[in-house]
Structure formats: C-alpha cells, structure tokens
Amino acid sequence: MAKSAAHGVGLVLAAVPFAIIGMAQEKPKPATSSEVLSIFKAHCVSCHTGKGASGGLDLTSVKTLLAGGASGKSVVAGIPEKSLLLDRILGKGGLPQMPMGFAPLSSAKVETIRSWIKAGALAEGSDKSSHWAYKMPVRPKLPTVQNKAWVLNPVDAFILSRLEKEKLSPSKPAGKERLLRRVYLDLLGLPPTPKEIDAFLADARPDAYERVVDRLLANPHFGERMARPWLDLARYADSDGYEKDLNRTAWLYRDWVIDAFNENKPYDLFTIEQLAGDLLPNSTVQQKVATGFNRNTMFNREGGVDQAEAYFNVLLDRVGTTSTVWLGSTMACARCHDHKYDPFSQKDFYKLYAYFGNGVVIPRGPKEVGEEKWFEPEIQVPSPDQSKKLAAWGSEVAVAKSELQHKFQAMEPNYVDWTQKAKSTVWRSLVPASVETSSGEKAQIDADGTVSLFTKTPKLSYTLTFKLDPGVWRGVRIQTVPDARLSNNGAGNADGGNFVMSEVTATEDGRPKNFAVAQADFVQAEFSSAGVLDGNVDTGWAVYPQPGKPHELGLAWKSPIDSSKPTELKLRIDCMSNRWPQHTIAKFRIAISQSDNPEQYVMPSEIRALVEKASRTANEEGSLRKHFETVSPALRQFRARVSELEDKIAQLKREIPTALVLQEKPVQGPLYASIYYRGEFLNP
C-alpha cells in the first residue's frame, strides 16, 4: 500500500493529459441512443409522443422509434441513406422538413442521428457505446507491462501500461517529506508538524509508512476530514436558510457522519441508516439521528408562507439530493418533464417523491394570521452520563412522591381544619396611609384599599405605609385586580396585561422584617413565587397566560409582628426586571393575617369557590384535597424534595441536545403521490 501510493497516486494525475491526447487521436465513437433521444425530446416529442403521436410516430423511446409510424418503418439500421427518419429531418422528397414549424436541426445534431443509424441503431445498453454510468462495473483484466518490478498493486499496472504505450517512464518515487505531507493532507486535511516529519525521517523500518497510515486512520480527525465532502453533499448547515436564517440544532448528524467514517461503517448500512434509519426494526437513537441527512433541507419560517407549498419544496429537495448523492445522476429536471439526457421520466420523479411524502409534520403557530409553520420531528439524544442521571433522578422522584402521598393520607384532621379556617375571614384588608412610587407618579388609593397606577414608566417600585392595630400579625397577601382598561383585562401595565414582581420587602417601625416563604395561586412558567424573596431582579412572580384573572401572593414572616401598640408597616413592591422593564404592576390590594402559616390560605378563585360550598361532589372534593396537598405546611419538606428533583430533571433535559430526524407515518397499502404539471405546486 505504502510503496504503490508513493508513485502510483502521483502518476495517475501525471498521466491524465497524455490519456486525453491519446483519446483525441482515436476514431470518434458512434453516437448512442440516449444522445439521439435527447435531441428528439428537445425538438420533436411535443408532437411525436403517446397514443396521439403525429403521423403515428412516437419518438420517446428507441422501441417506438424503430416501430415507425403511418408512413412505415422509420429507420434502416446501418443505412442512414435509406432511413425515412433522416429524410424527413433533411426535408427530402418534397415533404415539409422536420421539426415542422420550427428551426431545422443543426448539422451537428443531424450528424449525431446519422452516426447512430450507421452504427446499427442500437438501444441503450445493447451496444458497447452505452453510457458508463448505466453499465454494471466489471473488473477488467490486468494489462501486460514490461517493467513488472515497478507494479506493486493492480492500479499501478494500468498506469504503467499507458505510460509504456506513450513511451514514457514513471516519475521517481516522492521523497519522504513530500510523501508524508501528501498522506497527512489526504487523511487529516492538515500537514504534519515539524516534529512528526523528523520522527518519520528518523524511522528506518521498512513499514514506517504503513505505520504512519495506520496511525492517521486511527486518528479521530480522519473522520472529520472524510466527513467534509459528504456533509457538502448532504447540504449540511446549522441554520435554516431563507429570510430569517434561524439557528437549527443539526450537529448531532454531523457527528454521526464523522463517527461512521472513524468506525469504518459498511457502506450499505451507511446508506440505509441515512435514508431509512427510523424504519429499521427496533431502530436505535443513533439510527434515527442518521436520518438527519434529509433534515438538512432549507426551512422557510417567513410569515405568510403557504406551508403546504413550503413542504412541497422540502420534498423536491429530498428527491433531488437523494438521486444526486446515491444515483450519481440528477433527477431534479424530471420534476417538470421527462429527463432529456437520462432515463428518468417525470413519473419516476414523483414515484420517489412518494417515499418522502409520508413523513410526520407538526403544525405550530396561529394559522389565522399566516404564522403557522410545519415542523418535523426532533428527538433528545442524551449522553450516557445524562441518561444515567435521568434514570437515577426519576427513581428518586417516584420515591419522593410516594412519601408525599403516604404523608398526605395521614393528614385528614389537618385537611378538615384547613377547610374550616379557609371559610373564615383569614385575611383582613388594609388601606394604605400613603403610597410612594419610584417614578414620583401619584397612585390612586380606593376606599377598599385598592392601589392603581396606569403608566408606561419602566422599572417601577411602590412603597406602601400602613398603620397596624396592636396584635400578632404573621403575613401579608398581595392580590392583583384585573381592569378592563388594561391590556387583556390584566393587572399589569405591559402590552399583554402581565407584570413581573421582582422583589417584596418589609419593615416594622423602620426595622427590616424578613419573609420566610412566598406562595402564589398561579405562577408563569420559568418564574417562581420564591423569586420575590431572592434579591434577584430578573426572577420573580408573573402570571402569563392568565393576566385577566385575579391572583394572590401570600408571604409569611420568619417571626410575627407581635406588638401591644400600633405599629408602622412599610411594604415595598419592586417591578425592576431588566428583561421585562415595562412589566409593572398596575392594580392591586393588600391584606394581612393573624393565622399560622397564612400562605396556605392563598388559592385560585375556583378553589376558593369550592371551599365556600356547603356540599361538594366527589370530583370537587378531589380537586380541593389536591390543592391542600400543594399548600399544607406539614407537607412542605416533602413537596420541596419532589420539586427539587423535578427541577433538576427539567434543567438536565434543557441541556440535552436534540437531533432533527425523519419519522414515517403509519402506512396502509402503497404510497401515492400526484404528478405536478410542469412541477408547479398548484397544478397536481
């Protein structure tokens, strides 16, 4: 291998010009039937095709051409001068010259037809002049050479045979430095380092070159070098193309190709897994990832795009790419018409199209405003370590939920007590003595204590001052008040009626009064009621997609306010999100409670309605018990454990990479596809 590469590969390139010269001196080969049919397809078949062919002469195939038409046999094999076809093309016999009504064929095209008839008018595949792409490869006999010692492998014999024919001598073997550079560039795409060159020059073993080749083949960069041209064929990209050119996660397919080359995957599997990995019995995740070959198509997310047409274009690309890559012959032209230069019909194109037209499509987005997009499947591909963690944490969640349920079942007295207290007046409304805002704007204070400020000022804070009666006060409630004057009947100043409450703090007679816990009746995804206590302005409480409903946030102090005299309570509510600066609270009211763990009496309006009912159905009772499970202080540590584990799993799942894959819909019977007239989407 090493010695033949030293001179054989280089001389292949060196011999090419001489081969071309030699070929130019040989007699021209007769035209083939495919060349002749391409002329007819370009100039004649608009009239001479099918059952209604003009003059009964169908020129779409050699078989129908040789059958002739109403005037008799059109071709006399081997004798162009006696062939009616050629006479009509030349306009002999006083009849109109063909193609009638169009410019005559060029002399070169006439000569192509004459050459084919003279050679015997053979059909493609039955003569030795058939195009090489449609011949079955056959191993040829090795040519006889004079300098047999120079031949180290079969390829060398062909090179040397031609060189000897041209009376040329082989070039001298390349020097070790040049040879090493060549093999590095071939296998890794990078030149060797000076250290690697020195090591190779110092290695006097007879198999030194073979050792280098083996080492480079084992190098993981070999797969990267080999994958580059394949990824070009697969039109690999990390973005969608088209107008937005948004990012896509496609690199797992790229890595699959690299790994396939590094592990020397057999070509049949390399092919099957990329074209149909999802259809293999019990297909693995990696076999599904391989189908990313046909997910590299451009994806149009522009507004107003007809998604059926966009998907039609996706499928056209898959047919064209698959035929180019695996057949080594383009079928793209046959989208619109029978191929002029290859044996593909438009029907053949849409037969292949049918295979790709049965994939799963997932519509997303509002169709009524032209924003629906047809997505295709993605799968998560966790690493072995991630899979191990998911399995372990999943088991822990199951145990934690079981413990929570067991504890809940033993809490019947607590549940009864909770329902009774929830019916009583747990919360006492407060009317603020004053309200200050960070913007200096004046907030309105209603008689029932409702505070409102409709403003577009970003990053807003409220400081509310209350005079508390003597007593033991354990927590406060912030209740949002929807208003029809705000967007979506919400309680926030943002365009969608939402708000982000980033922080809530309190003072008792000027001294900080720290909260222990915060609990809301509803929290927007990616937000948390606990965020109002963490000192981070970019976390907090938000309520999308329910801005138009009343909501509650209960906060319990670490220790109660216990005073025998009136006390000044100051409550500060911050809406200072950097990401959502316009999301400020617009309308709310404050209440206070003397109950233990008052946050457990914060509840959605529909749960509060169930609490107030004198009798409840079994389903209603079940809903109420389920809510109690989520707020009971006695279950807090068990809920926290479940929540902690579920948060860890959710975070890990967000980190797991995804792969774009194909997924076939269930098939009942054969697949069908329309033929599109002239390849136009609107003309099936």
Side-chain angles (χ1 to χ4, degrees), residues 346-672:
Q346 193 179 14
K347 188 172 183 179
D348 292 331
F349 182 94
Y350 288 102
K351 280 183 177 180
L352 186 53
Y353 174 101
Y355 282 102
F356 296 109
N358 192 51
V360 170
V361 173
I362 307 156
R364 294 179 191 155
K367 185 175 183 179
E368 60 276 6
V369 294
E371 282 299 322
E372 182 183 80
K373 302 291 180 287
W374 287 9
F375 290 82
E376 293 182 88
E378 290 185 53
I379 59 170
Q380 286 195 317
V381 186
S383 67
D385 181 60
Q386 288 171 327
S387 295
K388 185 177 179 181
K389 286 181 178 178
L390 285 175
W393 292 344
S395 298
E396 290 183 48
V397 165
V399 171
K401 285 184 174 180
S402 177
E403 291 176 348
L404 173 61
Q405 192 61 29
H406 179 74
K407 182 70 175 177
F408 173 67
Q409 290 171 354
M411 294 187 63
E412 184 66 23
N414 304 63
Y415 170 69
V416 173
D417 181 62
W418 175 81
T419 55
Q420 293 302 316
K421 287 183 177 178
K423 287 181 181 179
S424 64
T425 308
V426 174
W427 299 105
R428 172 181 167 184
S429 295
L430 292 178
V431 178
S434 66
V435 177
E436 297 177 2
T437 64
S438 57
S439 66
E441 296 169 278
K442 186 175 180 180
Q444 178 179 320
I445 306 173
D446 295 340
D448 65 352
T450 299
V451 177
S452 55
L453 176 60
F454 301 162
T455 179
K456 293 299 181 183
T457 301
K459 292 190 173 184
L460 187 64
S461 292
Y462 296 86
T463 302
L464 300 93
T465 302
F466 301 96
K467 300 298 183 181
L468 300 184
D469 293 335
V472 179
W473 306 102
R474 290 183 167 84
V476 297
R477 180 185 70 181
I478 302 173
Q479 188 176 40
T480 67
V481 181
D483 193 294
R485 292 169 291 178
L486 295 166
S487 177
N488 287 328
N489 296 323
N493 286 309
D495 288 342
N498 196 12
F499 59 85
V500 177
M501 193 175 293
S502 55
E503 204 71 18
V504 180
T505 54
T507 62
E508 174 191 359
D509 290 332
R511 300 184 302 275
K513 192 65 180 173
N514 296 325
F515 291 107
V517 63
Q519 187 158 312
D521 70 309
F522 175 80
V523 181
Q524 179 178 330
E526 308 297 328
F527 286 86
S528 167
S529 54
V532 301
L533 304 180
D534 64 3
N536 182 354
V537 297
D538 289 318
T539 61
W541 181 41
V543 295
Y544 183 83
Q546 297 184 9
K549 295 178 65 175
H551 294 289
E552 302 177 354
L553 175 71
L555 303 105
W557 283 297
K558 290 183 177 179
S559 60
I561 294 176
D562 188 355
S563 178
S564 59
K565 59 182 178 61
T567 302
E568 181 184 79
L569 169 67
K570 283 196 173 185
L571 194 67
R572 176 172 170 139
I573 300 173
D574 290 338
C575 297
M576 304 295 286
S577 171
N578 291 316
R579 185 178 180 189
W580 309 104
Q582 301 295 335
H583 284 54
T584 59
I585 187 76
K587 195 169 183 179
F588 60 94
R589 63 172 69 99
I590 306 298
I592 196 165
S593 177
Q594 292 185 316
S595 297
D596 290 332
N597 305 114
E599 75 282 354
Q600 67 180 305
Y601 301 108
V602 166
M603 61 191 72
S605 55
E606 56 268 23
I607 295 297
R608 190 173 299 284
L610 293 180
V611 168
E612 299 296 336
K613 290 187 72 170
S615 61
R616 293 180 284 270
T617 67
N619 286 339
E620 290 173 337
E621 187 70 20
S623 297
L624 196 57
R625 288 177 180 274
K626 187 64 178 177
H627 177 77
F628 173 69
E629 183 183 329
T630 66
V631 298
S632 170
L635 299 174
R636 185 176 297 148
Q637 69 181 81
F638 299 96
R639 291 196 305 270
R641 178 58 178 160
V642 172
S643 179
E644 176 191 2
L645 289 168
E646 289 180 336
D647 287 346
K648 286 169 68 175
I649 291 173
Q651 177 60 34
L652 180 58
K653 285 184 175 180
R654 286 191 290 270
E655 296 170 0
I656 294 174
T658 58
L660 306 176
V661 299
L662 292 181
Q663 183 180 335
E664 194 81 356
K665 291 186 290 190
V667 177
Q668 297 292 334
L671 297 173
Y672 290 91

